[in-house]
Amino acid sequence: MGDDKPKKPKQGKTKQKWLTGGIPMFTRSRMYKESYRYRIKKNAVKKEEKKKPDKYLIKEIGGEKNGGTRKVPINRQPRYYETQVGRRKLKGHRKPFKVHKRRLRPSITPGTVLILLAGVNRGRRVVFLKQLETGLLLVNGPFAVNGIPIKRVNQRYVIATKTKINISGIEIDPRINDAFLKRKKLRTGKNSKNIFDDKKETYQVSDERKELQKALDQQLAPRVKKVRHLKKYLQNPWSIRDHQYPHKMVF
């Protein structure tokens, strides 16, 4: 009796040749031409042609000399056009900044000690208080400990450490907001029309800001002194030496 096993279908031989290391001799485009697959016609799906709506309506008109019919537009054009076109809102335009969602990194919580990476005080340590409406971080040195006042910082330029201070119960004055901490434009005297009026303005801290800074330091500084070695930790700047890599450090 013969074998009842079904015979395997014969597979066509490929014309591809292989070099050492598994590198093919012919490219994919060359093999495509050799296989003649481009001659095989695929069953194309016929698409139904959509009829365009009529723009004109044909009306019959009486009279021997009027032609019998006349084209009348269905949607009539306006008689008068505006001489000045107003501004249009572009579709798909980005939302304004005030509508953006304010996100905060999970490692940054109230009372976390942060390391500043940009600005005049880069490399210094500060205490995070809260997030403002613009998404910027409100931080404080405190000023009585390391000389860094109340300021706004972008969370991109900050390293969050594992050191934290309990700031529950500390009252932050509602006057400390984005408008209050916004940088003021000082007069440089360069663009003035009067050549003799070249006086420059220098920044001076207002009495209101000094009062708010003092009130916040009186609440925060005693809590820093209670933790052992925390005062010196906030006073000492952070820096990187040779053969030290930030991605391998634990802050």
Side-chain angles (χ1 to χ4, degrees):
M1 295 178 68
D3 296 333
D4 296 333
K5 294 181 180 179
K7 294 182 179 180
K8 294 181 179 180
K10 293 182 179 180
Q11 294 180 354
K13 293 182 179 179
T14 177
K15 295 182 181 180
Q16 181 65 273
K17 294 181 181 180
W18 300 90
L19 304 174
T20 54
I23 302 170
M25 181 178 285
F26 303 118
T27 59
R28 293 174 71 182
S29 60
R30 173 72 182 276
M31 292 303 299
Y32 182 76
K33 291 178 181 178
E34 293 288 339
S35 62
Y36 296 102
R37 273 182 283 177
Y38 58 89
R39 291 187 179 181
I40 301 170
K41 293 182 179 180
K42 295 182 179 179
N43 296 326
V45 179
K46 294 182 179 180
K47 294 183 180 180
E48 296 180 359
E49 294 182 359
K50 294 181 179 180
K51 292 183 179 180
K52 295 181 179 181
D54 297 331
K55 294 183 179 180
Y56 298 96
L57 183 67
I58 298 171
K59 288 187 176 182
E60 294 183 0
I61 298 172
E64 296 178 359
K65 298 181 180 181
N66 291 332
T69 57
R70 187 173 294 174
K71 282 185 177 181
V72 179
I74 296 172
N75 297 323
R76 292 188 177 182
Q77 297 293 332
R79 286 188 176 184
Y80 304 102
Y81 293 93
E82 295 180 0
T83 55
Q84 188 174 5
V85 181
R87 297 177 68 181
R88 294 183 300 170
K89 286 188 177 180
L90 298 174
K91 291 183 179 179
H93 192 67
R94 292 181 179 179
K95 294 180 180 178
F97 179 73
K98 61 183 179 182
V99 188
H100 290 184
K101 290 182 180 179
R102 313 293 180 217
R103 294 183 178 87
L104 189 64
R105 276 154 47 188
S107 58
I108 301 174
T109 55
T112 305
V113 176
L114 308 176
I115 300 172
L116 304 179
L117 300 177
V120 181
N121 298 313
R122 59 181 175 272
R124 305 298 300 276
R125 296 179 174 92
V126 292
V127 180
F128 169 65
L129 300 176
K130 68 173 185 178
Q131 190 178 25
L132 300 171
E133 291 181 0
T134 54
L136 299 176
L137 310 180
L138 179 66
V139 297
N140 187 21
F143 186 78
V145 176
N146 55 13
I148 299 175
I150 305 166
K151 61 187 303 181
R152 298 183 299 172
V153 183
N154 194 325
Q155 59 180 324
R156 289 186 177 184
Y157 307 109
V158 148
I159 296 176
T161 64
K162 292 185 176 181
T163 309
K164 292 185 179 181
I165 305 171
N166 184 15
I167 62 168
S168 59
I170 291 179
E171 295 181 0
I172 301 172
D173 199 294
R175 288 179 290 176
I176 303 175
N177 52 22
D178 291 296
F180 180 74
L181 297 172
K182 190 176 181 181
R183 184 178 293 178
K184 296 179 181 178
K185 291 184 179 180
L186 300 175
R187 188 179 179 185
T188 58
K190 292 181 179 179
N191 298 327
S192 59
K193 294 181 180 180
N194 189 358
I195 59 173
F196 300 104
D197 188 12
D198 56 349
K199 293 181 180 179
K200 296 182 181 180
E201 286 183 347
T202 55
Y203 176 73
Q204 293 181 353
V205 184
S206 61
D207 296 334
E208 184 183 7
R209 189 156 185 166
K210 289 179 182 178
E211 182 186 343
L212 294 172
Q213 180 71 60
K214 190 176 181 180
L216 195 58
D217 283 357
Q218 286 176 354
Q219 300 178 70
L220 193 58
R223 301 196 182 195
V224 172
K225 293 177 182 178
K226 285 181 182 179
V227 183
R228 190 180 180 186
H229 302 306
L230 184 58
K231 184 178 178 181
K232 290 184 178 180
Y233 176 72
L234 292 173
Q235 288 175 345
N236 292 331
W238 176 81
S239 60
I240 296 177
R241 298 180 182 177
D242 294 340
H243 306 292
Q244 290 182 344
Y245 309 102
H247 61 279
K248 293 184 178 180
M249 294 181 180
V250 178
F251 294 95

